[in-house]
Amino acid sequence: MKKQIELETTTSINALDAAIRATVAETDISSLINKYEQYMINLSEVESKHKDFHLELLTAVAPEKAINTVLRALVKEAVTNTSYVDRNIVAAKIGKKLLPKTAKKGSAINRASIGLTLGLNMINVAASMKLCEYKVLISKEKHTISTLVINPNLVEQTLVDMQRLVRANTIMTCQPKHHTVDASGGFLTKSATMLNSSGFNSTKTQSTAACAAINALQDVAYEVRTNLTEDMLNQYKTEDKWFNEAGPFMQSEWNKLIADIKLAQKGSFYFAVSCDDRGRMYELSAYLKYQGDKFQKSMLEFSKKEHCTDEGLTFLAIAVANELYSDKVEFNDAVEWIESKSYEELTKLAKGNPIAQILVADYIDAQDGKPIGTITHWDATNSGLQFYSLLGADKQTASLCNVFDTGVIADAYRALADSLNKVTESENFNRSNVKNAFMVFLYGSMAKNILFKIEDKKNGVTAGIAEFFPADWDEDAMWTAFTTAMTEIAPAAIQLMNLMYSYNTEGTTKFNWVMPDGFKVETTSTVSYSGTEPEDKNKQVRGWFLDLNGKTHEGSASVVIEEYNKFSRSLAPNIIHSIDSYFGREVIRRCAALGIEVSFIHDSFGVHPNNASTLHQIAREVAADIRDSDLLIDILTQLNPVQTEWNIKKGRLAKGDLTREDILNSAYILR
């Protein structure tokens, strides 16, 4: 524990923030207070019709508080920023911290504007004291980007030295602190049950059951694989993520990964875990990650090694086949394919695929009777569609995502491609080029995104599907064809999705509901306002400052504001994510009760091969329980009981013909 505390206090940004705060607190600011007060006197004497507004805003903040806040902001920027320091961004941060209660009324956009105005004035006060100066970098029309040049005398060398050690979150060398209903857990010095919230779903309101699921993930011990090779690291080093936008290799970031690997190689280690507002659980390490990319996943194994049972060997073979052969064949076919290959053939096929490489190596070890700590991952088949099928008990939707067995492995993406090929009388669409469009549509994306530029967190920015339609089709025709195809293959899912969107009621920016295990969900509807993009000129958050010559200057900044948006498409995806998260927590709790360790990635469960069969059975049982429940009615009733009662009366929440037995008999709900 002592070693972990030392690690956290020497490498975390929180430790640097504390050091900056302590340094500023020890600084004699009496002369700066005098200069601040003199500035106010001088400002009161300028000729400007806006003078009273600026003076009232500035004098509402105590001089000592204003100076300490500005100093902390400037010192932190000077110590941590590796590029130019944008005056407007710093001003927005300062203004948000100093905004007086009298200015916190009115709309969110108005508060943001006043905060930016206050911050810009504070920056100008700081410039008058020679704490900083700003220079114009870019001037375009009336928009100006200014960079702050911070007085180097503000920065002590000890802070610079400390910053060199600071990095993003790392692994834990001891067991993480447990989360409880009364206290955050995870890191020892920077506990956090919730990633974002301090309101409805803050630490003290979360349930014992919800904390138990997080703690079960935190209690799993990992090791870096002993067969992690230099060749694999060299292969990883060529990935795009290690190069910045200008091209150069980011050696300092790579060094942090290597440092974590060396730290992890000293013994077992753990991952701190926190939730987002919808309940999705995230491990907090930045460089070694089980929720990371294929290379990061391939570096890890369970610390607890086991000899494979016959059943375990079968599931390990299936996991290998999923990587090297296909995840669209029956389990028996996958095993037959593996058994038809020699060790040498499998090793050759796995070359270049880090996950396949470690699975093949472990498969060979397991066959030789050696204990292994392999993490085999079993993913939901299109999890969004699965939950729509369970909520509506809809057999047609369930048949697209392996919740209901039809005798063949389900492929919803191929079904969409076939439907689009039919309507366009072409063969342009296939499961690969429609997959991203299918997924982002279920999570709220509309025509512009899906047709022309698909953006999502998992896959980044990819081309839209417009290029596959006939050249003479316009946007309306393409969009009609796409939505019609989606409705044809999964009508109940689309109906439920649109029903959820209807609960985005006027004026509402926060939506709260409680899940069956007591997890309190809070989602916020936000609108981004940018002062830097030309197309956002009508959405700019603007602020102003008044100089001592009586001249008004403008600045603008990009901020995210809670604001009602009748076109918001966030509610339905957030409801599905909260159900997805509940499903994950319930599966994890049931696995933990049987002593099964789980490495969890949202809709993917990683377990030792010996536990794969039990995991699949638990997943089927939890899915069947959701089908049997009134979960969606319960959530919608919490959002709007009157509207929900009306929807029930109209039959919009009636269930279909998918039975509990159908789900329990499904072989591939995870694959």
Side-chain angles (χ1 to χ4, degrees):
M1 185 176 292
K2 182 179 180 182
K3 179 182 177 182
Q4 177 62 30
I5 291 174
E6 181 182 355
L7 181 67
E8 291 180 22
T9 54
T10 57
T11 64
S12 75
I13 191 68
N14 282 43
L16 179 62
D17 287 343
I20 291 172
R21 185 175 291 273
T23 300
V24 171
E26 294 170 1
T27 303
D28 182 2
I29 62 171
S30 55
S31 63
L32 295 179
I33 290 176
N34 292 335
K35 291 178 181 179
Y36 184 92
E37 292 173 342
Q38 184 59 53
Y39 183 95
M40 297 305 154
I41 293 172
N42 295 341
L43 188 64
S44 68
E45 295 173 352
V46 303
E47 295 292 331
S48 170
K49 62 180 180 180
H50 304 297
K51 176 180 66 178
D52 291 343
F53 168 76
H54 289 281
L55 269 175
E56 182 180 354
L57 191 59
L58 284 164
T59 54
V61 182
E64 183 176 357
K65 180 179 180 181
I67 291 170
N68 279 326
T69 301
V70 169
L71 282 176
R72 286 195 295 268
L74 294 179
V75 171
K76 184 170 183 178
E77 292 294 337
V79 171
T80 62
N81 211 306
T82 57
S83 58
Y84 75 88
V85 180
D86 191 314
R87 178 201 67 184
N88 296 340
I89 292 176
V90 179
K93 292 177 182 177
I94 292 172
K96 186 176 181 179
K97 290 182 178 180
L98 292 177
L99 195 65
K101 291 182 180 180
T102 54
K104 292 183 179 180
K105 299 177 181 179
S107 68
I109 188 70
N110 186 57
R111 292 195 300 273
S113 178
I114 294 175
L116 179 58
T117 295
L118 176 58
L120 287 168
N121 274 291
M122 288 297 178
I123 291 291
N124 201 56
V125 175
S128 75
M129 300 175 181
K130 308 300 182 186
L131 300 178
C132 62
E133 60 178 312
Y134 40 85
K135 298 177 181 179
V136 174
L137 276 188
I138 302 171
S139 182
K140 186 175 182 180
E141 298 176 355
K142 290 186 177 181
H143 180 66
T144 300
I145 297 177
S146 296
T147 181
L148 278 180
V149 180
I150 298 167
N151 189 328
N153 293 327
L154 294 180
V155 184
E156 293 188 2
Q157 187 60 40
T158 54
L159 296 176
V160 175
D161 294 339
M162 189 173 183
Q163 163 59 19
R164 293 195 181 106
L165 299 175
V166 169
R167 48 173 309 162
N169 292 330
T170 185
I171 58 174
M172 293 192 69
T173 58
C174 69
Q175 198 164 351
K177 179 181 176 183
H178 270 193
H179 300 272
T180 72
V181 295
D182 298 313
S184 295
F187 290 111
L188 304 184
T189 62
K190 189 181 62 172
S191 301
T193 298
M194 302 303 300
L195 294 173
N196 308 314
S197 183
S198 59
F200 179 75
N201 62 3
S202 62
T203 303
K204 292 184 179 181
T205 61
Q206 288 305 352
S207 69
T208 299
C211 291
I214 311 175
N215 293 336
L217 295 182
Q218 289 191 154
D219 288 346
V220 176
Y222 293 84
E223 290 180 4
V224 167
R225 303 183 62 85
T226 55
N227 58 358
L228 174 62
T229 65
E230 195 66 31
D231 285 346
M232 188 178 290
L233 287 175
N234 288 335
Q235 185 183 347
Y236 192 24
K237 206 171 185 178
T238 65
E239 294 287 298
D240 290 346
K241 69 181 292 180
W242 301 108
F243 296 84
N244 66 26
E245 292 180 359
F249 180 74
M250 296 187 292
Q251 186 65 49
S252 62
E253 287 299 295
W254 179 258
N255 290 345
K256 292 171 184 176
L257 168 68
I258 299 303
D260 260 12
I261 291 175
K262 290 180 178 178
L263 177 65
Q265 287 171 332
K266 295 179 180 179
S268 298
F269 58 89
Y270 304 82
F271 292 96
V273 177
S274 287
C275 291
D276 71 6
D277 293 343
R278 300 161 302 180
R280 304 197 103 192
M281 293 181 284
Y282 296 83
E283 45 85 355
L284 301 180
S285 178
Y287 301 98
L288 280 179
K289 298 176 68 68
Y290 62 74
Q291 291 181 342
D293 58 41
K294 58 186 178 182
F295 287 94
Q296 290 167 317
K297 293 174 188 174
S298 69
M299 295 177 187
L300 304 175
E301 62 182 352
F302 291 128
S303 183
K304 180 183 176 183
K305 309 294 191 298
E306 297 180 42
H307 291 90
C308 269
T309 62
D310 289 343
E311 187 177 61
L313 278 171
T314 296
F315 275 95
L316 180 53
I318 293 167
V320 176
N322 282 348
E323 286 293 326
L324 294 182
Y325 180 44
S326 173
D327 62 357
K328 296 294 183 292
V329 298
E330 294 184 6
F331 285 161
N332 288 338
D333 292 336
V335 174
E336 286 181 13
W337 184 87
I338 289 293
E339 291 177 345
S340 72
K341 305 296 180 186
S342 67
Y343 290 169
E344 291 75 16
E345 287 176 307
L346 292 174
T347 301
K348 185 176 180 180
L349 286 170
K351 190 174 182 180
N353 180 335
I355 293 177
Q357 285 177 245
I358 62 101
L359 287 174
V360 168
D362 286 0
Y363 178 70
I364 295 171
D365 282 347
Q367 289 281 15
D368 290 342
K370 297 176 183 178
I372 59 172
T374 313
I375 305 171
T376 56
H377 281 278
W378 307 96
D379 302 357
T381 303
N382 197 322
S383 61
L385 206 61
Q386 283 190 340
F387 291 114
Y388 277 117
S389 75
L390 295 173
L391 295 173
D394 179 57
K395 191 173 288 187
Q396 181 176 345
T397 303
S399 68
L400 289 174
C401 51
N402 291 323
V403 173
F404 173 71
D405 277 351
T406 61
V408 296
I409 305 297
D411 191 344
Y413 308 127
R414 185 172 299 280
L416 174 60
D418 290 345
S419 182
L420 287 171
N421 283 332
K422 182 178 178 181
V423 75
T424 58
E425 298 181 344
S426 74
E427 296 182 355
N428 296 339
F429 295 94
N430 56 56
R431 73 176 312 276
S432 179
N433 62 31
V434 303
K435 181 177 180 180
N436 286 353
F438 190 117
M439 291 190 296
V440 299
F441 179 70
L442 284 183
Y443 289 103
S445 289
M446 294 295 284
K448 291 291 185 184
N449 187 15
I450 289 174
L451 295 176
F452 302 109
K453 189 170 75 170
I454 298 175
E455 299 183 42
D456 71 286
K457 292 180 179 179
K458 183 176 182 180
N459 299 297
V461 179
T462 56
I465 61 171
E467 63 179 296
F468 304 109
F469 281 91
D472 59 344
W473 283 38
D474 61 21
E475 180 179 332
D476 288 341
M478 290 188 288
W479 184 241
T480 298
F482 177 79
T483 55
T484 299
M486 287 293 298
T487 303
E488 284 178 351
I489 65 173
I494 305 307
Q495 179 182 335
L496 283 180
M497 181 177 72
N498 290 327
L499 181 69
M500 293 179 197
Y501 287 138
S502 71
Y503 281 72
N504 183 33
T505 51
E506 186 170 357
T508 305
T509 60
K510 285 187 182 297
F511 301 90
N512 304 321
W513 60 91
V514 183
M515 299 304 291
D517 63 349
F519 187 92
K520 290 181 169 60
V521 178
E522 178 177 74
T523 68
T524 304
S525 179
T526 59
V527 178
S528 295
Y529 286 88
S530 170
T532 59
E533 300 296 333
E535 61 266 28
D536 286 343
K537 290 179 75 173
N538 62 331
K539 289 186 176 181
Q540 289 183 354
V541 171
R542 297 187 296 167
W544 299 265
F545 70 90
L546 184 64
D547 68 22
L548 295 181
N549 295 316
K551 185 177 180 181
T552 299
H553 304 265
E554 182 179 306
S556 55
S558 178
V559 295
V560 177
I561 291 173
E562 289 182 23
E563 186 171 279
Y564 170 69
N565 179 1
K566 66 179 179 180
F567 301 111
S568 173
R569 303 278 291 179
S570 64
L571 184 56
N574 283 330
I575 290 174
I576 294 298
H577 277 312
S578 75
I579 295 169
D580 182 2
S581 304
Y582 165 66
F583 176 81
R585 291 194 303 274
E586 190 62 29
V587 170
I588 289 165
R589 282 190 292 265
R590 295 188 191 188
C591 284
L594 298 175
I596 296 175
E597 295 182 326
V598 181
S599 184
F600 182 57
I601 313 175
H602 306 319
D603 60 358
S604 175
F605 299 86
V607 295
H608 190 278
N610 288 349
N611 298 321
S613 178
T614 303
L615 167 70
H616 282 70
Q617 181 59 30
I618 289 173
R620 286 190 287 268
E621 290 170 356
V622 175
D625 289 346
I626 290 176
R627 179 258 171 253
D628 291 347
S629 72
D630 289 324
L631 179 54
L632 182 57
I633 289 176
D634 184 46
I635 291 172
L636 296 180
T637 299
Q638 292 179 67
L639 294 176
N640 189 321
V642 175
Q643 185 175 347
T644 304
E645 188 62 36
W646 175 257
N647 285 327
I648 293 172
K649 182 178 179 180
K650 291 295 182 179
R652 293 168 183 159
L653 287 163
K655 292 191 175 182
D657 56 355
L658 179 70
T659 68
R660 180 180 185 86
E661 289 68 31
D662 290 332
I663 300 166
L664 294 178
N665 291 328
S666 175
Y668 304 109
I669 195 167
L670 298 179
R671 180 57 198 266

